[in-house]
Amino acid sequence: MQRTIQCPLPADSDLLETIRVYNKAVQRVIDIGWTKQTYNKNRLHEFSYRDLRETYPKLQSSLIQCARDMASDMLKREKFKHKKPLKKPFSGVRYNQRTFTPFLDSGQISISTLTGRKRYSLIVSKYFQRYFEGRITSLTLYFNKRRKKIIAHLTMEIPDVPVEEPSSFLGVDRGIKRIAVCSNNSFYSTNHILAVKWRYQQLRKKLQSKGSRSSKRKLKQVSGRERRFMTDENRKIAKWVCNMPYNCIVLENIRGLKAHSKQKKKVNKKVRRQFGNWSYYQLERFIIERAEKVGKTVLYVNPRYTSQRCSRCEYISKSNRSSQSHFFCRECWFELNADLNAARNLSDFGKAEIGRASVNSPNVAVLSLTETIVSLSHGVVLATSH
Ligand SMILES: [Zn+2]
């Protein structure tokens, strides 16, 4: 899997000048590509190489190639439809493997600049040091004007953690009063989230009613802050879920359902009431990322009947629910918090699905996480419960 780490570099004038000239070169290639209507790398090279060598004699040819590749990517993204891409003087510049060499043992990195190769010391935070056995595949430099620092983004390929064969199942339901409820009786405490959300809501209302220019600017700031709070909270929840002693996490698959299907509406409605525009997709993504890191499997099951089925006797009936938050089985008189009952059902469905898969073909039981992600992005249900 890939991970990107960030390390600050000193704002060295050579490096800064390199970033500036590199960006100018990118813009020049974009200009040429735009007039010639091409983003093909070979053609861009033909049209621009000599011109760039003459205009920026200090920029060595390997950096010219990097600049050309970057320009090609930017043109490709735009596809000559709207506006010509613009490269700002200090925006990020990408280095390929021929233009930098990391020396992780000594905590240094050598980077091509206008005055040749130069070595810089890398300041790597403790948190990122654990990724350092990985192979570094690319480097992007950003200049942060506010902090007056150059930030190096190092992308590295780190070995996959072996995925354990699913044997213990944790169902995670998005509850009515809680964002996440687990089948092992754990409820993620959400009182503080509701309190913070309510505060933001009040603030937004106040600013919206003003409608002045400064209040609009303030509104933007506030929504940014709210978004960051949600992201932070989602990371915490994902960590909380993945730290539990289960090696298979079972979620309800809502993506696989048709957008206007009754089931999807039902699931969405129940959470929207409490948490407004909470990003469950982001939470899912974080759970997947985290699980990948620790070698756990994420399984998706069809959410059908999760709220109607009794997790003790398996009796399914619409009337099994006495109220929104309370589950009562008409068959065996089992009573439980409705969200917890749903989470337990998810865990059961996941277990049954893996059991079925291993009977048909033993190898399927070990579902690799990348497969999960692939099937997820295509909206395919990896494992259906019925
Ligand atoms: Zn029952």
Side-chain angles (χ1 to χ4, degrees):
M1 58 182 151
Q2 277 196 345
R3 284 285 182 271
T4 301
I5 67 166
Q6 297 176 21
C7 317
L9 291 174
D12 172 71
S13 59
D14 265 350
L15 211 47
L16 229 93
E17 187 58 15
T18 311
I19 294 177
R20 205 180 58 83
V21 173
Y22 183 125
N23 276 323
K24 271 190 170 177
V26 175
Q27 189 60 52
R28 211 169 164 98
V29 183
I30 289 175
D31 292 347
I32 292 168
W34 193 262
T35 27
K36 303 272 185 191
Q37 294 282 297
T38 180
Y39 52 76
N40 178 291
K41 281 180 189 167
N42 292 330
R43 299 203 61 195
L44 283 177
H45 179 82
E46 262 171 53
F47 293 136
S48 67
Y49 186 75
R50 183 164 299 172
D51 173 84
L52 288 178
R53 293 267 24 190
E54 279 163 16
T55 326
Y56 308 109
K58 278 183 175 171
L59 201 64
Q60 48 169 274
S61 63
S62 53
L63 280 180
I64 288 182
Q65 280 176 32
C66 291
R68 182 245 299 148
D69 289 351
M70 211 167 178
S72 162
D73 288 345
M74 286 175 76
L75 284 166
K76 202 171 178 176
R77 233 175 289 143
E78 190 51 43
K79 292 236 165 68
F80 310 104
K81 274 183 194 144
H82 308 286
K83 262 200 326 212
K84 186 165 77 177
L86 193 73
K87 194 86 174 94
K88 289 184 187 147
F90 286 113
S91 56
V93 295
R94 206 169 60 205
Y95 279 72
N96 64 19
Q97 276 176 320
R98 264 176 296 165
T99 45
F100 76 98
T101 318
F103 299 96
L104 296 179
D105 298 333
S106 57
Q108 287 184 319
I109 187 164
S110 113
I111 302 174
S112 293
T113 71
L114 297 181
T115 54
R117 283 266 183 162
K118 277 184 85 175
R119 272 202 190 211
Y120 298 93
S121 51
L122 270 178
I123 307 147
V124 182
S125 71
K126 238 187 183 157
Y127 177 80
F128 286 136
Q129 265 166 15
R130 59 183 136 161
Y131 292 133
F132 260 36
E133 355 56 285
R135 194 172 59 87
I136 296 180
T137 51
S138 85
L139 163 76
T140 308
L141 296 181
Y142 293 90
F143 177 59
N144 187 321
K145 264 190 208 151
R146 202 164 47 85
R147 288 166 64 195
K148 293 209 168 47
K149 260 185 186 157
I150 295 171
I151 311 289
H153 286 216
L154 293 157
T155 307
M156 39 184 81
E157 190 64 46
I158 51 175
D160 287 335
V161 178
V163 181
E164 283 178 46
E165 194 167 329
S167 56
S168 50
F169 301 83
L170 182 75
V172 182
D173 183 58
R174 22 161 108 190
I176 299 164
K177 293 219 167 101
R178 316 288 176 113
I179 291 177
V181 177
C182 300
S183 54
N184 65 346
N185 304 344
S186 308
F187 294 74
Y188 189 80
S189 158
T190 35
N191 286 342
H192 69 290
I193 295 181
L194 288 175
V196 172
K197 278 209 89 92
W198 188 81
R199 264 208 319 271
Y200 277 125
Q201 214 175 2
Q202 298 306 103
L203 194 60
R204 246 199 326 253
K205 254 190 212 156
K206 214 169 106 189
L207 290 168
Q208 267 160 356
S209 65
K210 266 190 190 164
S212 70
R213 224 205 211 146
S214 71
S215 70
K216 268 182 197 152
R217 200 173 49 230
K218 192 86 200 282
L219 205 62
K220 224 176 170 179
Q221 280 175 10
V222 168
S223 54
R225 231 181 294 153
E226 193 177 359
R227 210 178 41 242
R228 281 191 295 277
F229 166 75
M230 186 164 70
T231 305
D232 193 45
E233 218 41 64
N234 272 339
R235 269 192 216 290
K236 279 189 204 158
I237 301 170
K239 197 172 170 184
W240 176 78
V241 166
C242 293
N243 276 352
M244 292 199 195
Y246 295 83
N247 61 16
C248 182
I249 294 150
V250 189
L251 305 172
E252 46 187 0
N253 185 344
I254 297 170
R255 286 167 201 243
L257 304 175
K258 285 201 182 102
H260 298 293
S261 74
K262 255 190 193 163
Q263 287 173 52
K264 183 158 185 168
K265 266 189 196 156
K266 217 190 260 169
V267 184
N268 279 339
K269 209 171 107 194
K270 89 172 178 191
V271 282
R272 200 169 298 143
R273 205 176 304 139
Q274 279 286 337
F275 299 105
N277 51 356
W278 195 266
S279 176
Y280 285 90
Y281 289 149
Q282 187 190 49
L283 175 60
E284 265 181 36
R285 213 182 63 226
F286 288 168
I287 290 179
I288 290 173
E289 277 177 14
R290 185 96 203 159
E292 188 185 26
K293 222 192 239 172
V294 292
K296 293 186 179 184
T297 307
V298 176
L299 199 62
Y300 282 89
V301 296
N302 193 321
R304 200 157 31 149
Y305 305 131
T306 42
S307 62
Q308 296 168 16
R309 178 187 184 264
C310 170
S311 60
R312 190 165 81 178
C313 74
E314 301 179 16
Y315 174 70
I316 297 170
S317 167
K318 262 189 188 163
S319 53
N320 268 352
R321 224 169 165 155
S322 57
S323 77
Q324 197 45 258
S325 59
H326 190 85
F327 180 87
F328 177 74
C329 177
R330 304 281 153 186
E331 187 71 22
C332 72
W333 291 19
F334 177 62
E335 277 184 82
L336 197 64
N337 172 293
D339 298 332
L340 183 56
N341 182 65
R344 287 188 185 175
N345 281 332
L346 285 173
S347 155
D348 284 354
F349 293 162
K351 194 173 177 180
E353 198 51 49
I354 290 289
R356 216 175 349 229
S358 55
V359 168
N360 294 336
S361 64
N363 292 334
V364 186
V366 189
L367 298 153
S368 84
L369 208 80
T370 39
E371 280 174 59
T372 319
I373 295 171
V374 169
S375 55
L376 185 72
S377 59
H378 290 87
V380 178
V381 186
L382 179 73
T384 44
S385 54
H386 297 282

